[in-house]
């Protein structure tokens, strides 16, 4: 498509405000849904003259830890003086959160202009045999246009949306591929076994592009190893090519040592909580080491130390209130809840633990709840404010059944579908012993987003995928 036609598309003015543009894009989720595959996206990028080929991507996939690894990479690269685009999902507060450039959301006027450029192409696509673009396809195209035609970052930290092989983000050829870990999530779409899920995640591996991973299960590791070998991509696997060891752990500070094939670092620190954040930081650090070796990326040690320590990531073991203590954590699958339970035991002192939880319907709920229920005194089961959600009564029934079957569990299970009322009940439960009680809100990030916005800003969240 020539530049004259592109200019005409930009000035069609289908939308008059960023809000109108976002309403169109997010409205595609319930109307078009999720349609895995790359055909539509490749054709769209062809119409746009392949803007993604101008960018250096670090592609990040995995079950848990993707967002944290993206945050570490972004923070360190920015600390070293590089301009960084960061594309992540889901978003916690507003749609524009997912397109960041040097830590700032995409400006409304730019989002509006790029959406107006994409709308005629979306209409054109809907009339072809490929059918209409999905919400995530439009969103991904908007991100590529933002970075390739407006902000021009040195690197784009590029998080997958769902899986990897057929995920829309997989249209790019990155300079490094990262697979954080493999766990039980989105099994309705990715497969019933860890090997099947690993095969989908390993789909981001490209010919000759180095791969960094913290996958640990033998069947997952074998799948990733086999895919990397077939693509002649060097694999840097945690426990084989790099490792870390814990030095000390306290709330808001974890110190650890790193050992890699190129060098060792004796003492590093992160402020994110939970032992899994040491793993995430080590994966990000190994990725940066690969970039130093392969692409001469310059990161001085003091910039590395500052970037790791200054990394933040909302909604993951985030203490949003001190009186009472309210901790948010988007633990929405068994591996995430296992990490939360470990942090509750090791990092946060408490005599009484009260939990609000809300989930989506497509999760492995029994295995998820088994990790947290033995620690809980009172459980309040609620529902996220989202068109897809698990009924609070159904989730509560699973919790009660687990307790009856011999698993230890909460003294009290309260069903409160309204999350704001559930939050008030959580606060009241802490009134008797605020200094000895820890209150936790966990489960789907759709719930975490709403609770976080309400507690911190007294506003509702736009949250979404």
């Amino acid at each position: 498509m020539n530049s004259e036609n592109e200019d005409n598309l930009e000035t069609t003015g289908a939308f008059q405000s960023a809000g109108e543009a976002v309403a169109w894009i997010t409205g595609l989720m319930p109307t078009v849904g999720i349609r895995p595959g790359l055909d539509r996206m490749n054709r769209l990028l062809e119409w746009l003259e392949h803007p993604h080929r101008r960018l250096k991507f670090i592609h990040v996939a995995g079950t848990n830890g993707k967002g944290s690894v993206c945050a570490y990479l972004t923070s360190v690269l920015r600390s070293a003086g590089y301009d960084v685009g960061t594309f992540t999902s889901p978003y916690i507060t507003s749609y524009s959160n997912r397109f960041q450039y040097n830590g700032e959301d995409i400006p409304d006027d730019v989002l509006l202009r790029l959406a107006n450029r994409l709308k005629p192409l979306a209409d054109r696509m809907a009339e072809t045999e490929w059918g209409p673009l999905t919400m995530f396809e439009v969103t991904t195209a908007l991100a590529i246009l933002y970075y390739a035609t407006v902000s021009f970052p040195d690197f784009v930290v590029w998080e997958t949306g769902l899986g990897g092989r057929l995920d829309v983000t997989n249209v790019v050829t990155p300079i490094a591929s990262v697979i954080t870990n493999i766990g039980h999530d989105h099994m309705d779409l990715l497969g019933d076994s860890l090997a099947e899920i690993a095969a989908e995640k390993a789909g981001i591996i490209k010919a000759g592009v180095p791969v960094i991973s913290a996958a640990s299960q033998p069947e997952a590791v074998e799948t990733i190893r086999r895919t990397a070998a077939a693509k002649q991509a060097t694999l840097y696997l945690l426990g084989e090519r790099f490792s870390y060891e814990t030095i000390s752990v306290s709330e808001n500070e974890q110190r650890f040592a790193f050992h890699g094939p190129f060098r060792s670092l004796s003492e590093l620190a992160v402020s994110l909580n939970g032992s899994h954040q040491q793993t995430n930081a080590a994966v990000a650090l190994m990725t940066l080491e690969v970039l130093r070796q392969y692409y001469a990326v310059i990161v001085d040690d003091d910039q590395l130390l500052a970037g790791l320590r200054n990394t933040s990531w909302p909604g993951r073991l985030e203490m949003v209130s001190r009186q009472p203590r309210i901790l948010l954590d988007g633990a929405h699958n068994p591996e995430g809840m296992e990490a939360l339970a470990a942090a509750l035991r090791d990092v946060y002192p408490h005599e009484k633990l009260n939990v609000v939880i809300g989930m989506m319907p497509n999760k492995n709920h029994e295995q998820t709840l088994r990790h947290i229920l033995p620690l809980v005194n009172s459980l309040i089961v609620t529902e996220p404010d989202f068109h897809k959600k698990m009924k609070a009564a159904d989730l509560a029934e699973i919790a009660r059944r687990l307790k009856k079957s011999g698993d230890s569990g909460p003294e009290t299970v309260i069903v409160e579908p309204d999350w704001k009322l559930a939050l008030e009940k959580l606060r009241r439960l802490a009134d008797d012993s605020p200094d000895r009680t820890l209150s936790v809100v966990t489960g789907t990030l759709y719930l975490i987003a709403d609770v976080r916005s309400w507690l911190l800003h007294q506003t509702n969240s736009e949250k979404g995928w």
Side-chain angles (χ1 to χ4, degrees):
M1 184 174 290
N2 62 40
S3 59
E4 181 179 352
N5 287 338
E6 287 185 5
D7 289 341
N8 288 337
L9 289 176
E10 287 191 49
T11 57
T12 54
F15 310 111
Q16 301 303 309
S17 69
E20 289 181 16
V22 171
W24 165 60
I25 298 170
T26 56
L28 295 172
M29 175 60 92
T31 58
V32 179
I34 298 172
R35 301 168 66 202
L38 304 181
D39 289 343
R40 286 177 303 280
M41 194 66 187
N42 279 321
R43 180 51 58 101
L44 178 61
L45 291 173
E46 182 182 320
W47 292 346
L48 291 167
E49 297 186 343
H50 308 289
H52 57 303
R53 294 178 182 174
R54 309 170 199 168
L55 299 165
K56 294 184 177 71
F57 293 93
I58 304 167
H59 201 180
V60 181
T63 301
N64 295 96
K66 297 189 299 295
S68 297
V69 168
C70 288
Y72 284 123
L73 289 169
T74 298
S75 182
V76 173
L77 288 170
R78 287 190 61 207
S79 179
Y82 292 101
D83 293 323
V84 184
T86 311
F87 179 65
T88 57
S89 58
Y91 51 97
I92 293 292
T93 304
S94 70
Y95 177 78
S96 58
N97 293 161
R98 60 165 73 236
F99 319 90
Q100 293 209 334
Y101 174 71
N102 287 341
E104 298 293 329
D105 291 356
I106 185 173
D108 281 354
D109 62 323
V110 176
L111 192 156
L112 173 62
R113 177 160 54 88
L114 296 179
N116 275 331
R117 182 174 176 185
L118 287 170
K119 180 61 165 66
L121 297 179
D123 293 341
R124 178 180 168 189
M125 186 72 74
E127 295 173 359
T128 70
E129 66 270 28
W130 294 288
L133 293 168
T134 68
M135 183 276 289
F136 198 59
E137 286 167 340
V138 174
T139 296
T140 303
L142 199 153
I144 288 172
L145 287 177
Y146 179 46
Y147 298 130
T149 69
V150 179
S151 57
F152 310 106
D154 299 303
F155 301 98
V156 179
V157 179
W158 192 243
E159 183 186 351
T160 59
L162 184 64
R165 181 177 65 92
L166 297 177
D167 186 75
V168 178
T169 62
N170 205 27
V171 292
V172 309
T173 297
I175 58 174
S177 302
V178 180
I179 302 172
T180 58
N181 61 12
I182 305 297
H184 299 85
D185 202 3
H186 299 294
M187 297 170 72
D188 53 328
L189 295 171
L190 302 182
D192 294 329
S193 70
L194 289 177
E196 289 176 311
I197 296 171
E200 293 299 318
K201 308 289 187 185
I204 72 167
I205 297 174
K206 302 296 195 303
V209 177
V211 186
I212 302 90
S213 180
S216 59
Q217 306 94 333
E219 61 269 46
V221 169
E222 176 56 30
T223 300
I224 294 169
R225 195 191 307 279
R226 186 171 60 248
T227 306
K231 298 283 188 178
Q232 295 184 311
T234 304
L235 174 61
Y236 296 88
L237 186 67
L238 179 64
E240 289 186 2
R241 299 295 301 277
F242 68 104
S243 63
Y244 69 90
E245 57 192 38
T246 303
I247 297 172
S248 65
V249 176
S250 59
E251 187 173 346
N252 301 329
E253 182 178 85
Q254 301 187 75
R255 294 182 175 274
F256 64 99
F258 173 87
H259 307 287
F262 310 123
R263 62 172 177 161
S264 293
L265 294 161
S266 60
E267 188 166 334
L268 303 158
V270 295
S271 58
L272 294 180
N273 291 300
S275 60
H276 58 291
Q277 290 298 353
Q278 294 180 52
T279 303
N280 293 333
V283 168
L285 181 48
M286 187 68 251
T287 304
L288 293 162
E289 289 287 285
V290 165
L291 296 181
R292 291 175 75 243
Q293 294 295 319
Y294 284 64
Y295 301 101
V297 172
I298 299 172
V299 180
D300 293 338
D301 284 357
D302 59 339
Q303 297 166 335
L304 173 65
L305 293 170
L308 288 175
R309 183 182 285 278
N310 294 334
T311 300
S312 61
W313 193 234
R316 278 74 168 184
L317 288 174
E318 181 183 15
M319 192 72 75
V320 293
S321 171
R322 289 285 174 181
Q323 291 293 330
R325 287 191 303 160
I326 301 178
L327 183 72
L328 304 185
D329 190 66
H332 55 273
N333 55 38
E335 290 77 14
M337 197 64 80
E338 183 179 19
L340 170 58
L344 293 175
R345 286 190 294 264
D346 300 339
V347 180
Y348 299 98
H350 61 273
E351 294 179 17
K352 183 182 289 186
L353 178 66
N354 301 322
V355 172
V356 166
I357 187 170
M359 298 289 278
M360 300 294 280
N362 60 341
K363 304 297 178 182
N364 189 340
H365 299 105
E366 283 202 13
Q367 293 306 314
T368 301
L369 289 173
R370 284 184 193 278
H371 291 294
I372 191 73
L373 291 183
L375 308 177
V376 178
N377 295 100
S378 294
L379 180 72
I380 304 174
V381 187
T382 191
E383 298 173 5
D385 183 12
F386 196 65
H387 65 278
K388 290 182 180 179
K389 59 187 176 183
M390 185 168 189
K391 294 294 185 183
D394 295 340
L395 188 58
E397 181 55 34
I398 295 174
R400 293 188 183 104
R401 186 170 70 246
L402 287 172
K403 184 175 180 180
K404 278 184 186 176
S405 67
D407 290 6
S408 56
E411 302 157 11
T412 307
V413 176
I414 300 169
V415 176
E416 177 47 75
D418 185 314
W419 66 264
K420 285 184 181 177
L421 294 179
L423 195 57
E424 284 305 310
K425 291 179 179 179
L426 184 71
R427 286 179 183 273
R428 286 199 295 271
L429 286 172
D431 286 346
D432 292 341
S433 52
D435 296 333
R436 303 192 305 274
T437 299
L438 178 63
S439 302
V440 174
V441 181
T442 189
T444 174
L445 285 167
Y446 294 115
L447 174 65
I448 300 302
D450 278 332
V451 171
R452 186 177 188 276
S453 290
W454 188 250
L455 289 177
L456 294 179
H457 311 297
Q458 289 293 296
T459 59
N460 292 321
S461 165
E462 292 177 12
K463 87 287 179 192
W465 192 260

